[in-house]
Amino acid sequence: MNEKVLEKHDIRVMIPEEDLQEKINELAAQISKDHEGGYVKLICILKGSIFFCCELAKRITVPVMLDFIQVSSYGSGTSSSGNVKIKKDLDESIEGEDVIIVEDIIDSGNTLSKLVPMLQERNPKSLKICTMLSKPDRREVDIDVKYNGFVIPDEFVVGFGLDYDQRYRNLPYIGVLKL
Ligand code: IMP
Ligand code: MG
């Protein structure tokens, strides 16, 4: 048994569930409008983006296709490095498609700065980024984000897919973990 899972942490609500839902409604409405007459392929970056991606997909009114990718970036501690490896690749081609990468949070920007060119090589018709959260104060590389949920300060957050040591992904709100 993993005792660490039962450890208690102090978590303060930063973005309540209702605010997240309202923002996701807005993002989905914008995406639907921008893709009228077509369809979108959402690329969910595992694992953190799955809650956000599902909620978003349910609210988009044009046809939606879903695919999943998992990447690992090797860095020290809580910061990612530019060394990004695909752990689980997409199942299908994205050639000629309108693709939206769905991310939980953009921190340094290193992950997306490596992933975007990798996917661009596969010749999608368009490739855009939708993120639930962004921490611009931590940015090391510029990322062109088309759909942005919340801009947050430089604090470590959990919930709605985001984890601390694989925990707290299932919290229905975004909370700040006090360590
Ligand atoms: P980036 O490459 O530095 O932009 O890192 C992005 C990834 O780091 C996210 O997809 C998350 O998996 C993780 N991450 C960054 N900040 C946080 C946080 O505050 N809580 C949990 N995970 C985070
Ligand atoms: Mg992530």
Side-chain angles (χ1 to χ4, degrees), residues 3-94:
E3 297 289 347
K4 264 172 71 180
V5 182
L6 300 174
E7 198 183 322
K8 295 259 195 307
H9 294 99
D10 200 357
I11 296 172
R12 166 175 62 83
V13 177
M14 178 192 265
I15 308 171
E17 189 173 7
E18 306 77 63
D19 294 11
L20 285 166
Q21 299 296 349
E22 198 181 305
K23 185 66 80 178
I24 296 171
N25 283 338
E26 288 170 24
L27 292 171
Q30 190 60 51
I31 290 170
S32 304
K33 189 162 165 256
D34 292 350
H35 296 85
E36 234 169 66
Y39 71 92
V40 281
K41 179 172 277 185
L42 301 183
I43 294 185
C44 175
I45 305 185
L46 296 171
K47 303 170 187 169
S49 305
I50 73 164
F51 291 75
F52 175 52
C53 189
C54 291
E55 294 299 305
L56 189 67
K58 286 193 281 182
R59 290 165 173 80
I60 294 174
T61 53
V62 298
V64 172
M65 309 253 280
L66 275 181
D67 207 344
F68 300 87
I69 194 166
Q70 188 166 21
V71 296
S72 57
S73 56
Y74 300 105
S76 54
T78 53
S79 162
S80 72
S81 74
N83 193 354
V84 171
K85 270 181 78 174
I86 295 180
K87 277 167 79 179
K88 183 235 169 279
D89 206 343
L90 299 173
D91 289 331
E92 282 140 22
S93 161
I94 54 170

Side-chain angles (χ1 to χ4, degrees), residues 113-139:
S113 78
K114 290 294 184 309
L115 185 62
V116 168
M118 285 181 198
L119 294 177
Q120 205 76 63
E121 269 179 35
R122 301 180 189 188
N123 299 315
K125 184 169 143 211
S126 65
L127 184 62
K128 288 177 282 205
I129 294 169
C130 176
T131 189
M132 175 171 70
L133 306 174
S134 177
K135 280 190 213 171
D137 295 347
R138 300 255 307 169
R139 206 72 93 240

Side-chain angles (χ1 to χ4, degrees), residues 87-179:
K87 277 167 79 179
K88 183 235 169 279
D89 206 343
L90 299 173
D91 289 331
E92 282 140 22
S93 161
I94 54 170
E95 194 173 339
E97 294 185 312
D98 288 313
V99 174
I100 301 175
I101 300 173
V102 180
E103 181 61 299
D104 48 5
I105 185 166
I106 307 177
D107 190 36
S108 69
N110 284 323
T111 308
L112 285 176
S113 78
K114 290 294 184 309
L115 185 62
V116 168
M118 285 181 198
L119 294 177
Q120 205 76 63
E121 269 179 35
R122 301 180 189 188
N123 299 315
K125 184 169 143 211
S126 65
L127 184 62
K128 288 177 282 205
I129 294 169
C130 176
T131 189
M132 175 171 70
L133 306 174
S134 177
K135 280 190 213 171
D137 295 347
R138 300 255 307 169
R139 206 72 93 240
E140 291 168 17
V141 246
D142 247 359
I143 300 292
D144 182 19
V145 182
K146 175 78 179 179
Y147 307 103
N148 201 345
F150 294 91
V151 170
I152 63 164
D154 181 12
E155 289 185 281
F156 193 80
V157 288
V158 294
F160 226 87
L162 290 158
D163 74 304
Y164 169 67
D165 234 351
Q166 298 305 325
R167 286 190 58 194
Y168 302 118
R169 292 191 194 277
N170 59 313
L171 294 180
Y173 53 85
I174 299 293
V176 180
L177 187 86
K178 289 182 211 147
L179 290 171

